[in-house]
Amino acid sequence: VSSAGAPPTSERALLDRARALGGRTLSEIARSLEGGAWLGDPARHKGAVGALVERALGAPRSTRSEPDFAALGVELKTLPIDARGRPAESTFVTMAPRAPDPDWARSCVRRKLARVLWIPIATDAPFAARRVGSAFLWSPDARTEELLRGDWEELTERLATEPERISARHGRALQLRPKARDASVRVRAAALDGSPLLAAPRAFYLRRTFTIEIVERAGLLAI
DNA sequence: CGTTGATCATGC
DNA sequence: GCATGATCAACG
C-alpha cells in the first residue's frame, strides 16, 4: 500500500490535488493507487474513505495528534453528502485528551479545526461508486471560533469534573461522544487538578447542523 | 427523520 | 491498548 507520492508543499498545491479528485469515484481513485484496494461494505470499513483520500493526496502517515498536513497546518476531512446536498453525518475531530488541554488556543481541537480541507463525498451510491465532490478550504471566522471555543471550554470542564455524566447533548457545534472498541472500555484520565480518574474514552465531533452551515456558507454546490 | 451512543478496520 | 479514519443501529 503506497501513497500518491510526496506531500504537497503548499496549500495551493494541496487544494489543486484535492480538486483533481472531483468527479471521480472511490473505486477509480483506489485503482489509481499502487496496491489497488478493497472497497467493501462501509459497515465493515468505516474509515476507508478517509484513508483512501489521504493516500490519494499524499498525506504523511502520522501517529501523532496533529493535522494531517502538519507542515501546512491543514487537516483533511471527508464529508459525506446526502441526496439533498447536505452533510449526512457528524464529523469526527479528535480524541478528547486524557488530561485537559491548557486552553483553547493550544487545544487539539483548535489545532485541527484552524484550517480544514473538506472533501465532499456523495453518499447516494454504493460504496465503490461514490463520487468525490469539489474540495474546499475552510477556517472558522471570528464568530464561529467563539462558538467553538465556548463549546470546548464547557466540554473540557465536564470531562474533568463529571466524565461519567457527559452526553452528546452538550455543546452547540462541538459534542463529545464515546469512542472505543466497545462500551466497556475505560481509560485512566486526569481531572482539572491532576487527580486520577477512570473514564470512557470520548472524542470531539462536529454536529451535523454545524457542517451543514459550513457547506451552505461556502456557497458552493458540494457535489 | 435526526441524534445519541456503539461499533468496525487498521497500524503501531 | 490506543489513536487514526468514520458509519451504523437503536431510539425518541
Side-chain angles (χ1 to χ4, degrees), chain A residues 130-144:
Chain A
R130 292 182 185 180
R131 287 183 189 280
V132 177
S134 297
F136 62 100
L137 281 161
W138 171 87
S139 292
D141 60 24
R143 198 173 127 264
T144 304

Side-chain angles (χ1 to χ4, degrees), chain A residues 47-64:
Chain A
V49 175
L52 175 64
V53 172
E54 282 188 349
R55 273 213 293 150
L57 296 181
R61 274 212 131 73
S62 174
T63 170
R64 295 174 301 172

Side-chain angles (χ1 to χ4, degrees), chain A residues 8-17 72-74 115-117 137-139:
Chain A
T9 54
S10 74
E11 197 173 69
R12 183 69 229 182
L14 173 58
L15 181 60
D16 287 346
R17 221 142 130 177
L72 302 176
V74 175
R115 193 72 169 155
V116 179
L117 178 60
L137 281 161
W138 171 87
S139 292

Side-chain angles (χ1 to χ4, degrees), chain A residues 190-208:
Chain A
L192 281 174
D193 62 4
S195 60
L197 54 83
L198 215 54
R202 293 173 194 277
F204 287 98
Y205 287 77
L206 292 174
R207 292 188 177 279
R208 194 177 70 99

Side-chain angles (χ1 to χ4, degrees), chain A residues 88-187:
Chain A
E89 291 278 357
S90 53
T91 301
F92 169 77
V93 179
T94 186
M95 286 298 291
R98 310 238 231 132
D101 283 334
D103 53 45
W104 164 248
R106 285 174 287 178
S107 69
C108 54
V109 174
R110 187 184 182 280
R111 284 202 304 274
K112 295 236 176 175
L113 295 184
R115 193 72 169 155
V116 179
L117 178 60
W118 296 102
I119 315 275
I121 310 284
T123 56
D124 58 352
F127 208 42
R130 292 182 185 180
R131 287 183 189 280
V132 177
S134 297
F136 62 100
L137 281 161
W138 171 87
S139 292
D141 60 24
R143 198 173 127 264
T144 304
E145 175 142 359
E146 282 310 291
L147 174 67
L148 292 168
R149 184 183 59 77
D151 282 350
W152 177 86
E153 287 175 352
E154 177 199 338
L155 297 173
T156 294
E157 178 164 357
R158 287 188 192 277
L159 274 172
T161 57
E162 47 175 18
E164 293 307 324
R165 293 192 52 209
I166 289 177
S167 86
R169 294 175 180 81
H170 304 300
R172 298 159 291 175
L174 277 175
Q175 63 180 169
L176 284 166
R177 304 231 299 272
K179 182 78 160 79
R181 161 69 28 182
D182 61 65
S184 70
V185 177
R186 293 294 182 277
V187 294

